[in-house]
Amino acid sequence: MERMDCVPIDQMESVNIDRDLLAEFEAAARRPLDVRMRYAFIHTYKPVLDDARFRAFGTMADYRKWCQDNLPEWLGYGRV
Amino acid sequence: MAAFDYRQAAEVRDVFQRHGVRYLFIGKSGAILLGFPDTTQDADLFVEKTPENGRSVVTALRELGFALSDSEASEIERGKDFVQLRNGPFDLDLIFAPDGIEGFGAAWGRHLEVEGFPVCHLDDIIASKAATNRQKDRESLPRLQAFRQYWLAKRRT
């Protein structure tokens, strides 16, 4: 197992990341985990997907096929 | 239903630990634990697929408030590849065989711990998302890969 260490941005090696994204990553790194989670986890109703209290699929292929066949395309669960 | 939050994640961590469940946070929820700033709707757990671990998961989930019937519990214990739970205090997906990762043992060997939360390595999270080849994952991958570059650089220094 590895452990995470945080260091200031000015001590980092140069990284080739879009400036706005880098600022976003840095801002997130300054927030405590509970705040990051509050910003990150949202709950909205997803049609079909949220309409059953329990689903189990024998294989991931079964699950992917079910998503492809049953979920609205705009949810983005279909394979490209 | 309210969104998954830190308190609930901590309950998962503590109850799973008490029952000796072998699992890892994976997917975008795992990336968020590693510092990735983005949004997601549910927590994804990569669970080791063994009968003993399956029984421990069921016990832990019931303690957390998931209303599992005996037949549902049996499906988890048998280690179906994917289980979607919408019958508890928060939405949870159990993944026993994520695409793009060779097995739980390998992922466990690379995993990280964040405030006691066991989390897949970011490379495994990205590999899994890339292997699913879903529209929503394809859209999130460039941002996730940029975060990987930042995250690795930050860990090196």
Side-chain angles (χ1 to χ4, degrees), chain A residues 7-25:
Chain A
V7 297
I9 186 76
D10 58 4
Q11 294 175 27
M12 285 175 59
E13 294 173 18
S14 62
V15 290
N16 182 25
I17 304 173
D18 173 85
R19 183 178 293 272
D20 290 343
L21 267 183
L22 186 59
E24 216 180 314
F25 296 159

Side-chain angles (χ1 to χ4, degrees), chain A residues 18-74:
Chain A
D18 173 85
R19 183 178 293 272
D20 290 343
L21 267 183
L22 186 59
E24 216 180 314
F25 296 159
E26 272 302 298
R30 287 192 294 271
R31 296 182 195 118
L33 181 56
D34 63 328
V35 175
R36 290 209 312 269
M37 290 184 72
R38 196 184 325 140
Y39 291 167
F41 286 91
I42 54 173
H43 193 273
T44 55
Y45 168 71
K46 297 182 289 301
V48 184
L49 194 67
D50 290 338
D51 291 343
R53 53 186 294 287
F54 180 96
R55 287 193 185 93
F57 299 88
T59 67
M60 290 306 289
D62 292 343
Y63 168 63
R64 302 287 176 221
K65 183 173 188 323
W66 180 86
C67 290
Q68 190 87 39
D69 293 347
N70 293 279
L71 298 181
E73 194 179 331
W74 58 266

Side-chain angles (χ1 to χ4, degrees), chain A residues 2 24 26 49 53 79, chain B residues 67 72 84 132 143 150 155:
Chain A
E2 301 176 43
E24 216 180 314
E26 272 302 298
L49 194 67
R53 53 186 294 287
R79 302 194 96 155
Chain B
E72 290 165 352
Q84 177 193 306
T132 62
R143 183 179 163 88
Y150 164 84
R155 295 176 72 229

